Amino acid sequence: MKKLVIATLGGALLAGSLNVYADDVEDAIEYRQGVFQAIKWYFGPMAGMAKGDIEYDAAEFTRRAEMLNQLSYMPEEGFIAGSDKGDTDALPAIWEDMDQFSAGFDKLQENTAALAEASKSGDMATIMPAFAEVGKTCKGCHDNFRD
Ligand code: HEC
């Protein structure tokens, strides 16, 4: 009887810890996708202004560029071990070459900082090259690391 209780308890504990693990992975995937959605939310209107679809507003563009720079520091920690499996478009290549993947975020941080700086000029001709670099950084990483 005692053994059975212990076995049951052990099983429950084990199931509990496995559940926690699954939740961690699920939470991490949701977290990073959520941050990328926030990145898109900030980036979208900037692209609209760059293309001339939305009227250029210098202060609003700068605010968005600064927020984008803040957000660029956030997704990386969501790529925890084991989170290559699940409801995700992240490719296994990330965990095979974490250094290169991580360098992509360094680049995003640098390029969004440069964009925030350029945006203070209030001059689209000055902003455009910095904006294009950020767009290239998104695409470069997606090409290599996103399904
Ligand atoms: C260093 C790599 C890297 C960089 C840089 C990067 N992304 Fe991503 N992005 C990813 C990966 C990997 C995923 C897949 C995440 C997942 O499904 O778990 C993703 C997913 C997304 C998604 C989909 C999120 C969802 O709801 O599933 C959007 C939108 C996105 N990125 C936008 C951007 C934009 C805009 C930029 C540039 C400003 C950018 N990303 C820069 C790697 C990157």
Side-chain angles (χ1 to χ4, degrees), residues 70-141:
Q70 298 285 310
L71 288 165
S72 70
Y73 288 87
M74 296 180 192
E76 189 174 359
E77 69 186 70
F79 290 88
I80 62 170
S83 64
D84 53 329
K85 306 247 172 2
D87 192 5
T88 177
D89 292 327
L91 290 177
I94 292 170
W95 289 270
E96 286 155 18
D97 195 349
M98 197 41 104
D99 284 352
Q100 203 205 320
F101 183 63
S102 187
F105 284 114
D106 294 346
K107 228 173 150 190
L108 189 66
Q109 288 149 20
E110 277 169 35
N111 291 342
T112 52
L115 177 60
E117 195 52 42
S119 71
K120 289 179 193 155
S121 68
D123 170 24
M124 254 307 157
T126 306
I127 293 168
M128 271 318 277
F131 183 78
E133 280 307 310
V134 170
K136 263 194 250 165
T137 312
C138 311
K139 186 174 184 306
C141 187

Side-chain angles (χ1 to χ4, degrees), residues 32-33 36-37 39-40 88-89 101 138 141-142 146:
R32 70 201 187 205
Q33 290 176 343
F36 281 124
Q37 284 297 328
I39 286 178
K40 181 179 156 194
T88 177
D89 292 327
F101 183 63
C138 311
C141 187
H142 291 164
R146 187 175 78 160

